[in-house]
């Protein structure tokens, strides 16, 4: 690797920042990487916060955010910390991190058999030494035999209990194991206070209590220590120094350091698969001197190589009597000097602490991913981190000493003062509180953004309020994603409803049109009765057209899949419009696309173009100009469009319908593709035209975008994936054949359709048997299958679907000839039936000619 080549490392933590374990691991990773590579490495850090949020929807949002942030800027190495992060990344790695080596640490659920099947992965196992800690307790406190185990019900807590139960039998002759169970913090403290003197506490983890309240490690140990008169042991080092006596402890720093060292080897060219997993967690016997003294435990009893924190200075501890003797000789002389130097030392020490405090604060603020702003009691900004400057598009110097209301007033005239008043109210009350919903701000040269965050008071050691700290984050992208997901689900639900209604309506229309067609055949030519029957057929045809539009929206209409030249379809549409729309509307075409062939249905494409053109013409009642432009475009990165849709990278044929009409109000733009929504006067529109366009575009794997401004005009942009095939030929029509004595069994659960089909088939010369429902149909076929030449089988029936029914017919006669009939287009169920031997498909409603042609093709298939 070249010295100045930049490499990226993405670190994903399972939990939230400020957990001591997380901070120890993160600090060790960053120190190790930066010490080795310096500025040639770029470290990105993400926190899942899975202690508080762990549902599927939240994980989907995290996935979308990570794909958005790192989709184009893939990391060279991925470091995942703890089990939740590893499990999520393993489920997503092929989707958003393909081929990226993974290094894990802090993993409790390590199964070599499972991990041996994973490629490009290595890491270090977090194997806490529970037997080591129990042996230490036995050695230091041999009379304490009641072991009270504190453990929560989180995923980690459940794993901890399982590990304890696996080794408990090894110590059952010495300890009585008692578990705290899932308690609130108050109940747990009460249980600790009442422990007998023969008890010792084993603290595993306590990050969430029975009431759902979450605790940082330091808060949990402090709450337990404050209620306990018994010694507390554990297996993790982050409790040490806050009330834990000791044990054989897992060290977060060593976990992070080991993971970073493995990552460096990968960055230097070693494959992850060549680096073995570190199975032996680097645990140490560690103890707190203060707790040892509290329970009168001699350090001589500790295991060899133990680490003891909070010990007195080693020199003083070993030689305090000699030092006191020498000090007595000089005490008089030093007393005068000490008085003179005391003031100077105090000043220097105060300055040193102040510098150190400022340095620590600066480092901490810069490490936080959110914007942080602190204010004094006059609500002037005292400090802010770089992320706050980026959020408000200001430098830190420009923000310091600035009144908080002024900052928010300039950024957001609508909500700024209200948010400042909110901060003032809760700061004075001394209560932490989240920002109000829908808090927005508008940085200079940028559009409106949404803000989320919280306000917490700052207190001195005596509890007096010194000011407040605000933690803010920009959630605009998150809200946009949630809105798009909601809209997509809404359109999908409406599509399902429209498809179901259209299917049932098609069943009714099959009967209506069938009987009407029989009347036209039976009644005298030219009679009033025949004319009325024809009117019924015309009305049924118009109703069928409405259902076709609904099925197009639901993506369940009749669809062909063949190469189509869109320029020919567009020209045919323009030719038709030139004779039908008002002459005051001028149509201009500009066909710039070099490649205009896509895979699709010619009829549906012409309907799409015709619907959009008529819609544009209707928007120009006083005349105007409709411009139709085509072009080939190459989409490099995914493009967002309305209605929850995304245009993926690729080559597209794009059509733009641009009119100079009245435009569409922004408040209704998301509704115009919904079925039955129309802005036209009553009786002038069904509200299905644009709904059919939307469904047909989805059926063609296309996308539609809308740009409109009231009083200026509207532009619809259609994007179709390109095909390099040849244009399809027009289908050959088949003459209507006669029945010729053929026997047809009709199986359907609708009596109206049965009666209609019988009339049409009888008129065409077929012998007809009827069966209401699948069960009756199977029984009828069992009795008369030697006489039956073809079965007309409904696909959707309450007892069983057409595919299942066809399987039953095959059991009776393996050569059964069947034709599937449905109000929907061909589905996966028909494809399954076709594989089993179904001869064809006909969609309701059908005419006598369509029915007869379908039967002839099924009985006498044409070789191709």
């Amino acid at each position: 690797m070249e010295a100045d080549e930049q490499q990226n490392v993405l670190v994903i933590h399972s939990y939230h920042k400020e957990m001591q374990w997380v901070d120890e691991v993160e600090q060790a990773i960053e120190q190790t990487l930066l010490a080795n590579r310096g500025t040639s490495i770029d470290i990105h850090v993400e926190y899942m916060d899975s202690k508080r949020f762990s549902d599927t929807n939240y994980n989907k949002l995290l996935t979308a955010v990570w794909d958005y942030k790192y989709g184009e800027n893939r990391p060279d190495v991925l470091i995942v910390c703890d089990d939740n992060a590893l499990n999520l990344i393993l489920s997503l790695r092929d989707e958003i991190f393909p081929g990226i080596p993974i290094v894990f640490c802090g993993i409790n659920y390590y199964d070599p058999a499972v991990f041996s099947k994973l490629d490009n992965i290595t890491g270090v196992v977090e194997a806490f030494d529970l037997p080591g800690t129990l042996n230490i307790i036995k050695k230091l406190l041999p009379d304490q035999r009641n072991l009270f185990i504190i453990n929560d019900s989180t995923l980690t807590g459940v794993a901890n209990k399982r590990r304890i139960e696996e080794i408990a039998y090894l110590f059952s002759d010495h300890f009585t194991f008692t578990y705290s169970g899932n308690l609130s913090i108050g109940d747990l403290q009460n249980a600790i206070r009442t422990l007998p003197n023969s008890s010792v506490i084993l603290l595993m983890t306590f990050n969430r209590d029975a009431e759902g309240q979450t605790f940082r490690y330091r808060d949990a140990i402090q709450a337990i220590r404050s209620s306990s008169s018994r010694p507390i042991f554990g297996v993790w080092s982050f409790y040490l120094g806050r009330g834990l006596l000791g044990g054989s402890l897992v060290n977060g720093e060593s976990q992070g350091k080991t993971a970073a060292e493995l990552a460096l080897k990968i960055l230097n060219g070693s494959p992850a698969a060549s680096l073995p997993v570190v199975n032996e967690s680097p645990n140490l016997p560690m103890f707190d001197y203060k707790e040892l003294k509290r329970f009168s435990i001699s350090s001589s009893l500790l295991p060899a190589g133990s680490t003891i924190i909070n010990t007195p200075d080693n020199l003083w501890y070993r030689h305090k009597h000699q030092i006191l003797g020498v000090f007595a000789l000089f005490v008089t002389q030093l007393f005068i000097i000490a008085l003179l130097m005391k003031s100077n030392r105090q000043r220097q020490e105060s300055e040193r602490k102040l510098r150190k405090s400022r340095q620590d604060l600066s480092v901490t603020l810069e490490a936080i991913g959110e914007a942080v702003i602190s204010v004094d009691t006059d609500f002037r900004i005292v400090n802010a981190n770089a992320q706050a400057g980026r959020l408000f598009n200001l430098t830190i110097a420009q923000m310091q000493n600035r009144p908080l209301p002024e900052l928010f007033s300039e950024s957001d005239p609508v909500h700024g003062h209200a948010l400042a008043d909110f901060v003032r109210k809760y700061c004075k009350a001394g209560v932490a509180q989240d920002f109000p919903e829908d808090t927005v701000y508008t940085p200079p040269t940028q559009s409106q953004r949404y803000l989320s965050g919280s306000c917490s008071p700052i207190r001195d050691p005596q509890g007096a309020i010194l000011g407040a700290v605000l933690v803010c984050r920009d959630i605009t992208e998150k809200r946009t994603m949630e809105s798009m997901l909601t809209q997509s689900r809404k359109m999908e639900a409406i599509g399902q409803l429209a498809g179901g209604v259209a299917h049932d309506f098609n069943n009714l229309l099959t009967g209506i049109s069938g009987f009407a067609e029989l009347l036209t055949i039976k009644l005298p030519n030219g009679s009033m009765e025949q004319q009325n029957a024809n009117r019924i057929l015309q009305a049924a045809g118009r109703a069928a057209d409405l259902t076709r539009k609904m099925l197009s929206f639901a993506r369940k209409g009749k669809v062909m899949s063949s190469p189509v030249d869109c320029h020919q379809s567009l020209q045919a549409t323009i030719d038709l419009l030139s004779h039908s729309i008002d002459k005051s509307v001028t149509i201009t075409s500009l066909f710039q696309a070099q490649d205009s062939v896509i895979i699709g249905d010619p009829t549906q494409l012409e309907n799409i173009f015709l619907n959009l053109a008529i819609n544009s013409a209707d928007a120009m009642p006083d005349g105007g100009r409709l411009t139709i432009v085509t072009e080939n475009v190459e989409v490099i990165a995914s493009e967002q469009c309305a209605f929850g849709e995304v245009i993926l990278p690729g080559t597209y044929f794009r059509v733009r319908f641009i009119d100079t009409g009245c435009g569409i109000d922004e408040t209704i733009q998301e509704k115009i593709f919904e079925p039955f929504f129309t802005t036209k006067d009553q009786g002038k529109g069904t509200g299905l035209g644009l709904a059919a366009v939307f469904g047909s575009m989805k059926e063609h794997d296309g996308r539609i975008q809308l740009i409109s401004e009231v009083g200026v005009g509207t532009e619809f942009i259609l994007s179709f994936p390109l095909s390099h095939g040849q244009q399809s030929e027009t289908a050959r029509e088949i003459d209507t054949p006669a029945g010729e004595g053929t026997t047809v069994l009709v199986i359907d659960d609708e009596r109206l359709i049965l009666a209609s089909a019988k009339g049409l088939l009888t008129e065409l010369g077929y012998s007809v048997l009827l069966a209401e429902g699948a069960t009756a149909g199977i029984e009828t076929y069992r009795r008369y299958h030697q006489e039956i030449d073809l079965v007309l089988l409904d696909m959707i029936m309450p007892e069983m679907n057409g595919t299942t029914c066809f399987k039953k017919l095959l059991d009776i006669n393996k050569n059964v000839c069947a034709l599937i009939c449905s109000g929907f287009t061909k589905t996966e169920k028909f494809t399954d039936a076709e594989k089993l031997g179904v001869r064809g498909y006909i969609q309701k409603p059908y005419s006598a000619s369509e029915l007869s042609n379908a039967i002839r093709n099924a009985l006498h298939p044409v070789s191709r």
Side-chain angles (χ1 to χ4, degrees):
M1 184 195 78
E2 297 295 331
D4 58 348
E5 182 181 347
Q6 187 82 14
Q7 289 184 299
N8 296 322
V9 174
L10 173 57
V11 182
I12 299 180
H13 292 280
S14 295
Y15 311 126
H16 56 282
K17 192 170 179 60
E18 295 185 355
M19 283 185 66
Q20 184 172 340
W21 170 263
V22 175
D23 289 346
E24 287 179 1
V25 174
E26 175 61 28
Q27 186 176 13
I29 290 174
E30 290 191 3
Q31 288 179 347
T32 304
L33 293 177
L34 295 177
N36 185 273
R37 301 291 288 276
T39 57
S40 67
I41 194 165
D42 192 8
I43 304 172
H44 303 268
V45 184
E46 298 286 347
Y47 302 92
M48 285 177 59
D49 202 5
S50 62
K51 290 290 185 184
R52 291 177 286 199
F53 306 97
S54 57
D55 60 276
T56 302
N57 288 334
Y58 178 71
N59 287 343
K60 289 181 179 178
L61 288 175
L62 284 179
T63 302
V65 170
W66 294 344
D67 190 35
Y68 179 82
K69 293 174 69 173
Y70 306 109
E72 299 297 329
N73 185 24
R74 302 286 186 184
D76 297 290
V77 174
L78 190 62
I79 300 179
V80 292
C81 308
D82 298 286
D83 296 84
N84 290 343
L86 179 61
N87 293 336
L88 181 58
I89 290 301
L90 288 178
S91 68
L92 301 175
R93 68 183 308 190
D94 292 337
E95 179 180 350
I96 62 176
F97 296 116
I100 297 175
I102 296 176
V103 178
F104 60 81
C105 66
I107 301 304
N108 303 114
Y109 301 98
Y110 176 71
D111 186 347
V114 173
F115 276 74
S116 64
K117 300 176 182 178
L118 303 175
D119 61 337
N120 215 9
I121 185 170
T122 187
V124 54
V125 177
E126 178 192 341
F128 59 77
D129 184 12
L130 188 59
T133 294
L134 295 181
N135 283 322
I136 288 172
I137 298 173
K138 286 177 62 177
K139 182 178 181 181
L140 300 184
L141 300 167
D143 297 328
Q144 310 297 310
R145 295 176 174 268
N146 178 30
L147 190 65
F148 184 71
I149 302 169
I150 297 176
N151 195 40
D152 61 19
S153 61
T154 62
L155 182 65
T156 301
V158 172
N160 292 342
K161 186 175 180 182
R162 189 181 303 118
R163 293 280 296 277
I164 295 172
E165 292 172 344
E166 290 174 354
I167 60 94
Y169 74 95
L170 298 173
F171 300 88
S172 59
D173 61 335
H174 185 86
F175 291 115
T176 299
F177 292 82
T178 304
Y179 295 91
S180 65
N182 189 19
L183 301 176
S184 67
I185 186 63
D187 291 340
L188 177 62
Q189 289 177 315
N190 289 334
I192 292 172
R193 292 189 187 100
T194 58
L195 288 175
N197 293 334
S198 61
S199 299
V200 61
I201 296 174
L202 175 61
L203 173 59
M204 299 304 291
T205 57
F206 192 78
N207 295 119
R208 187 173 66 228
D209 69 2
E211 297 176 348
Q213 185 178 1
T214 59
F215 299 87
R216 295 175 296 185
Y217 292 118
R218 64 189 183 200
D219 296 331
I221 184 64
Q222 287 171 1
I224 294 169
R225 172 64 173 78
S226 65
S227 305
S228 174
S229 61
R230 308 307 308 148
I232 305 171
F233 290 81
V235 294
W236 279 289
S237 65
F238 42 72
Y239 289 128
L240 195 65
R242 293 184 169 92
L244 192 77
L245 190 147
S248 181
L249 306 183
V250 176
N251 191 323
E253 180 180 354
S254 61
Q255 288 279 320
K257 180 180 179 182
T258 304
E261 290 171 346
L262 291 170
L264 285 170
K265 291 180 181 179
I266 294 173
L267 291 174
N268 288 332
S270 298
S274 69
L275 304 175
V277 173
V278 180
N279 291 306
E280 295 297 326
S281 183
N283 303 337
L284 296 172
M286 304 176 71
F287 302 89
D288 188 341
Y289 178 85
K290 294 180 180 179
E291 295 298 311
L292 290 171
K293 295 295 289 184
R294 180 187 176 202
F295 294 100
S296 302
I297 298 174
S298 173
S299 58
S300 63
L301 298 175
L302 303 181
S306 296
T307 298
I308 305 175
I309 68 170
N310 292 330
T311 58
D313 179 78
N314 290 336
L315 180 62
W316 169 259
Y317 190 66
R318 293 195 303 270
H319 308 291
K320 60 182 178 179
H321 297 293
Q322 294 88 334
I323 294 173
L324 285 174
V326 174
F327 179 76
L329 298 176
F330 296 97
V331 66
T332 303
Q333 293 89 343
L334 294 177
F335 180 73
I336 298 174
I337 299 173
L339 289 176
L340 296 174
M341 297 180 63
K342 179 180 180 181
S343 177
N344 187 48
R345 285 201 307 269
Q346 288 177 339
R347 179 181 60 80
Q348 292 177 343
E349 180 65 14
S350 297
E351 291 175 350
R352 186 191 66 80
K353 289 182 178 179
L354 180 59
R355 288 194 300 271
K356 179 65 165 57
S357 177
R358 287 177 175 173
Q359 291 173 356
D360 292 344
L361 178 60
S362 177
V363 171
T364 302
L365 288 177
E366 294 309 311
I368 296 174
E370 287 83 8
V372 180
I373 303 172
S374 62
V375 298
D376 58 20
T377 53
D378 294 327
F379 302 100
R380 287 186 173 274
I381 297 175
V382 177
N383 207 348
N385 65 353
Q387 184 64 27
R390 288 188 287 270
L391 184 67
F392 291 97
N393 201 22
L394 297 169
T395 65
I396 296 177
Q398 289 173 327
M399 297 178 67
Q400 285 181 334
N401 205 36
R402 190 170 188 168
L404 185 67
E406 180 182 330
L407 173 67
F408 280 99
S409 177
E410 290 187 2
S411 297
D412 176 23
V414 178
H415 295 80
H417 287 296
L419 183 57
D421 292 341
F422 161 83
V423 174
R424 182 181 293 106
K425 173 183 176 181
Y426 287 99
C427 179
K428 289 183 176 179
V431 179
Q433 190 74 13
D434 291 336
F435 284 1
E437 293 184 2
D438 295 326
T439 299
V440 299
Y441 70 105
T442 308
T445 71
Q446 294 186 27
S447 59
Q448 179 177 284
R449 312 288 290 176
Y450 285 90
L451 192 68
S452 173
S454 62
C455 165
S456 301
I458 301 174
R459 300 176 183 272
D460 65 10
Q462 288 71 41
I465 295 177
L466 302 178
V469 61
L470 283 70
V471 180
C472 316
R473 64 194 67 88
D474 189 324
I475 59 170
T476 307
E477 284 74 19
K478 176 184 176 184
R479 287 176 62 96
T480 301
M481 291 171 59
E482 290 174 347
S483 176
M484 290 179 60
L485 180 61
T486 300
Q487 182 66 19
S488 178
R489 289 173 176 171
K490 174 183 175 183
M491 297 300 284
E492 185 67 25
I494 293 175
Q496 291 177 0
L497 175 62
V501 171
H503 171 268
D504 292 342
F505 199 37
N506 272 342
N507 280 336
L508 296 175
L509 288 175
T510 302
I512 293 171
S513 61
F515 284 118
E517 190 169 4
L518 282 174
L519 286 174
T520 62
I521 297 172
K522 294 290 187 180
L523 292 171
N525 290 334
S527 66
M528 180 62 68
E529 289 81 2
Q530 189 186 56
Q531 292 177 20
N532 290 335
N534 281 324
R535 292 188 181 100
I536 295 173
L537 272 177
Q538 291 172 1
R542 291 177 61 188
D545 183 62
L546 288 176
T547 60
R548 278 194 293 272
K549 291 179 179 179
M550 293 172 67
L551 287 171
S552 292
F553 174 77
R555 302 170 66 193
K556 297 179 179 179
K558 295 183 178 180
V559 180
M560 294 175 59
S561 293
S562 60
V564 181
D565 188 338
C566 286
H567 278 167
Q568 292 184 9
S569 298
L570 281 167
Q571 190 59 54
T573 301
I574 293 171
D575 293 342
L576 178 61
L577 289 171
S578 63
H579 300 290
S580 58
I581 65 173
D582 196 304
K583 299 299 182 182
S584 62
V585 176
T586 302
I587 302 177
T588 303
S589 61
L590 185 59
F591 293 172
Q592 298 176 327
Q594 299 298 315
D595 191 349
S596 59
V597 177
I598 69 168
I599 294 296
D601 185 322
T603 302
Q604 279 207 6
L605 288 172
E606 289 185 11
N607 284 336
I608 290 172
F609 301 149
L610 190 62
N611 271 315
L612 290 179
I614 292 174
N615 204 64
S616 295
D618 289 344
M620 298 181 286
D622 299 324
R625 183 174 63 259
L626 171 61
T627 305
I628 303 175
V629 181
T630 70
E631 55 190 348
N632 293 131
V633 295
E634 184 74 23
V635 176
I636 304 302
S638 297
E639 295 180 1
Q640 301 289 340
C641 54
F643 324 112
E645 302 295 326
V646 176
I647 301 178
L648 299 175
T651 306
Y652 290 85
F653 171 77
R654 182 163 285 178
V655 188
R656 299 162 59 200
F657 286 79
I658 308 167
D659 67 54
T660 58
C662 58
I664 303 172
D665 191 278
E666 185 177 357
T667 59
I668 65 171
Q669 287 185 14
E670 289 191 352
K671 299 180 181 179
I672 65 170
F673 291 100
E674 296 178 7
F676 308 113
F677 179 83
T678 180
T679 59
K680 298 178 182 178
D681 295 336
Q682 187 172 359
K684 293 186 178 181
T686 63
L688 287 172
L690 290 180
V693 169
F694 183 85
S696 295
M697 287 299 298
K698 296 261 293 189
E699 194 68 48
H700 286 80
D701 291 327
R703 295 293 183 264
I704 184 167
Q705 295 169 272
L706 170 65
I707 301 173
S708 186
E709 183 178 348
V710 175
V712 176
T714 299
E715 179 178 355
F716 287 97
I717 304 172
L718 312 180
S719 299
F720 297 93
L722 274 173
S723 167
H724 300 290
Q726 299 297 318
Q727 184 179 0
S728 61
E729 297 180 357
T730 303
R732 176 176 58 88
E733 293 189 2
I734 304 173
D735 293 335
T736 304
E740 301 175 352
T742 302
T743 299
V744 177
L745 169 61
V746 183
I747 303 176
D748 202 298
D749 62 305
E750 294 283 348
R751 293 184 180 180
L752 182 65
I753 295 176
L754 289 172
S756 171
K758 180 176 181 180
L760 289 175
L761 291 169
T762 301
E763 188 64 30
L764 291 169
Y766 295 99
S767 299
V768 184
L769 295 174
L770 302 180
E772 184 177 348
T775 302
I778 295 169
E779 183 58 33
T780 301
Y781 189 77
R782 189 187 310 277
R783 295 174 60 187
Y784 302 108
H785 68 273
Q786 293 181 347
E787 305 170 18
I788 295 171
D789 300 291
L790 180 137
V791 179
L792 183 61
L793 178 60
D794 188 23
M795 174 57 79
I796 301 177
M797 295 181 287
E799 296 172 300
M800 65 183 75
N801 62 41
T803 302
T804 304
C805 182
F806 182 68
K807 291 179 181 178
K808 301 286 186 181
L809 300 181
L810 284 173
D811 293 340
I812 300 171
N813 177 14
K814 65 180 181 179
N815 296 317
V816 58
C817 178
L819 185 66
I820 291 292
C821 180
S822 176
F824 287 147
T825 186
K826 298 179 181 178
T827 62
E828 292 182 0
K829 291 185 176 61
F830 171 74
T831 302
D832 295 339
E834 193 174 31
K835 292 177 181 177
L836 293 173
V838 165
R839 299 287 183 88
Y841 182 91
I842 184 170
Q843 186 174 351
K844 303 173 184 176
Y846 45 73
S847 66
S849 175
E850 290 173 335
L851 180 60
S852 185
N853 285 334
I855 293 175
R856 170 61 65 87
N857 288 336
L859 291 172
H860 308 290
V862 179
S863 300
R864 295 183 183 271

